[in-house]
Every structure is written in structure tokens, then in C-alpha cells.
Amino acid sequence: MKYTNLGNSKLNVSKICMGCMGFGDPENGMHTWTLPEKESIEIITNGLDNGINFFDTAIGYQNGTSEQYLGKAIRENANREDIVVATKFLPRSEEDIKNNVSGQQHIHNMVEKSLSNLGLDYIDLYIYHMWDYNTPLFDILEGLNEIIEEGKVRYIGISNCFAWQLAKANALAESNDFSKFVSIQGHYNLIFREEEREMIPLCQADNIATTPYSSLASGRLSRMPGEDSKRMNEDFYAKLKYQSTETQDLEIIKRVNELALNYDVSMTEVSLAWLLGKVTSPIVGATKLHHVEGAVNSIELNLTDKDIQYLEEPYVAHDLVGVMADNKVSATDNEKVWAKHTKDKI
């Protein structure tokens, strides 16, 4: 494993971050393809054995059971100080707003619940999961600064936002002597490269770490079409993100497969090797042991400039999809896929 500094923080993280959305009670949340406790802990432990020290989860993943499984695996199999734990909090719900729960109090409530789920004393990287259009930005930043001062969180990151929002947030934080966001977790992979327009240049200029999710496009960049998996069949949200561009994306997927055959490696290794040349630490989900192996092996694959150009050449602009498309100012909780599956459970 190789390690790197996480942006402007003092966190030393593995070049592969294990994504934990695939862990959690499959009967308690928006996903039916997640792994129960025993299997989840087995894969997390395998990641630890392979040098992965960076793990990303969220309070919204299977209603907190992903956090619970990750915390248990760390407590039983690692030294806490050697591990970088990232988790994410959700925006205020309509019920929170109705009950006059302030942005600051909401963050205190969320972090306490995540710490309880994890069974840990602190969180290394606490991530603003998606922009909260119904809460003043100052309140969010002040609440985050408070939990850092209390020692419950070391650093803060942000996910699913536009470059202007990240720039605005960090400018407001600086002007009020609050902690700034040290990382961005956006949707970025070989078949979805819209982050390159504004977000990646901003992060390079300000030394903000990039830890993209959907690194393998929910498995589409790790296998040729027609090779099924449980997630491929049951992850309705991933289908919504990628089904409209299948024709355009297929040419890139074919080229990934071609290079994989040429190098005698997996498609996973080629796809992640490309991404590793662009970002700090990609988030890679794993629901089978060979998923961990492919992610770890990708660090040793060095693509040539010609390879990179060949992979990138067919790309065409994509519309925003997923959370970035769904998280609108006017959206109600019943219209937000993450809110519908977590209501009254967190």
C-alpha cells in the first residue's frame, strides 16, 4: 500500500479508501444488496490486512448499521490511532426544521449518533453529505467548528457540491476563523468526468483533497456488459445514474477491457490506475474479497500517457445525475431518495 497526506490536514491516508456503502443490514435501508455484519467485518479486516487505513461510511448507509459494522471491525482488529475514519451527516429534515432544530444543534445530534454507532471517541473526517439549501451556511460551519473544538471531530470534508459552494464555504469559514473543508467527495470516474470542469482545478489550487465516490461506476468499469452481479441487478439508484448514457460509455468500457487484456490485469486495476493519477484517494466499495485485491493491485499499475489519452478520448459531456441532480432547493423529503429511506430511523 502507498500513503499520502489528505490535503491541508495532518491525516496520512492509504491511496485507496474503502467505501462502506455495501456494508449494513440489507433489510434496513435503501439498498438490498448490502452485506450483513459477519461478511462486512471479514472484508473490512481484509482491507486492514492489505494496508488500507482509510474507511468512508455515512449515518445514512442502511440507517447507521454500516457505521456500526465498521466501528466494530476497527475496535476488534486495529489500533484506533492507525485508522482514518470518515463518516457523513445528512441535512436537516423537514421535521427538524418544523421543530426549530438549528443547524448547529442538528450537527451536534448527528455527530453524537454517529459516534454511538461507531463506538468510537472521535471521527477523523466528518463530511457534509450534501448541500443543505434550507439551513444557513454559517450555522453549518459554526456547528462543525464547535464539534472540532470539543474533540469529537478532527477535520471536516464536504460531498456532492458545486465548486462555487465549496469556495464560498471555505471563504466564509476563513473570515470567521472556523475550520475549513479539507476534502471533497464527488462523483468522478472514467465515464463521469464532469468534476474536471471546475472542482478539480479548485482543489489543485487550494490543496483540497479529492476522494471521489463511484470510482468504478457501481461496477460498470470493472466488468463488460452482461456480467451480472447482485448489486448490478438490485441497485436502482445506480441504474438511474448510468442507464441513459450506456451507449456513449460502452466505448470507454471496451477500451478499459482492451488495456486490461494487454497488461494481463483486471478492468478494476486499469480503471483505478487512471483515477489514481487524478485524485488523492478514490473511494472503492467492496462486497467480495477479490474487490479488495483489485483495488490494492491498482496502485502498482502505471499507465502510459498514450494509455490515458486512449481511455479519455471517447468521453462526451454528461448531465448531472444522482444526488447532484436530485438535491434541489425545492425538493421535499418525499422526493429525496436518501430522506425517504432514513425518515424516523436515525
Side-chain angles (χ1 to χ4, degrees), residues 91-102 106 109:
R92 287 192 303 168
S93 66
E94 291 174 0
E95 185 176 353
D96 289 331
I97 296 170
K98 180 181 177 181
N99 292 332
N100 296 315
V101 176
S102 68
H106 173 68
N109 294 344

Side-chain angles (χ1 to χ4, degrees), residues 93-288:
S93 66
E94 291 174 0
E95 185 176 353
D96 289 331
I97 296 170
K98 180 181 177 181
N99 292 332
N100 296 315
V101 176
S102 68
Q104 292 91 333
Q105 186 58 51
H106 173 68
I107 288 172
H108 283 272
N109 294 344
M110 287 278 101
V111 79
E112 290 295 345
K113 183 59 176 175
S114 284
L115 287 170
S116 175
N117 284 339
L118 291 161
L120 302 176
D121 295 329
Y122 65 92
I123 294 163
D124 298 281
L125 182 64
Y126 199 45
I127 301 170
Y128 185 17
H129 204 158
M130 59 207 69
W131 198 262
D132 187 346
Y133 288 101
N134 298 307
T135 302
L137 179 57
F138 181 92
D139 294 0
I140 297 290
L141 294 171
E142 185 173 52
L144 290 170
N145 199 67
E146 288 170 357
I147 59 175
I148 289 174
E149 291 180 341
E150 292 171 358
K152 295 170 183 175
V153 165
R154 295 180 67 190
Y155 296 96
I156 56 172
I158 192 168
S159 181
N160 293 305
C161 72
F162 295 101
W164 69 263
Q165 291 172 325
L166 175 53
K168 178 180 179 179
N170 274 353
L172 182 60
E174 184 170 2
S175 67
N176 286 279
D177 200 26
F178 293 155
S179 294
K180 295 197 288 188
F181 293 116
V182 301
S183 68
I184 170 66
Q185 186 179 131
H187 180 196
Y188 184 42
N189 57 51
L190 253 176
I191 59 173
F192 193 88
R193 293 169 46 200
E194 300 309 298
E195 292 284 82
E196 293 177 4
R197 300 181 185 277
E198 304 237 357
M199 185 62 79
I200 299 295
L202 169 65
C203 293
Q204 290 172 340
D206 288 356
N207 193 32
I208 297 169
T210 45
T211 63
Y213 66 82
S214 205
S215 298
L216 294 169
S218 303
R220 284 155 182 79
L221 286 164
S222 63
R223 64 177 71 86
M224 288 296 290
E227 299 178 39
D228 280 345
S229 69
K230 183 175 176 65
R231 179 178 183 181
M232 192 73 76
N233 292 328
E234 297 182 13
D235 192 343
F236 72 95
Y237 201 57
K239 290 179 181 179
L240 290 176
K241 288 197 292 186
Y242 295 109
Q243 64 185 3
S244 65
T245 56
E246 284 179 344
T247 302
Q248 303 98 302
D249 298 340
L250 181 57
E251 178 57 33
I252 297 172
I253 294 169
K254 286 179 178 178
R255 294 189 183 199
V256 170
N257 185 54
E258 180 184 337
L259 287 183
L261 292 172
N262 290 344
Y263 281 107
D264 193 25
V265 298
S266 66
M267 290 176 64
T268 292
E269 289 166 69
V270 172
S271 299
L272 291 179
W274 175 84
L275 194 55
L276 282 161
K278 310 284 185 178
V279 304
T280 308
S281 180
I283 297 169
V284 186
T287 52
K288 293 182 173 63

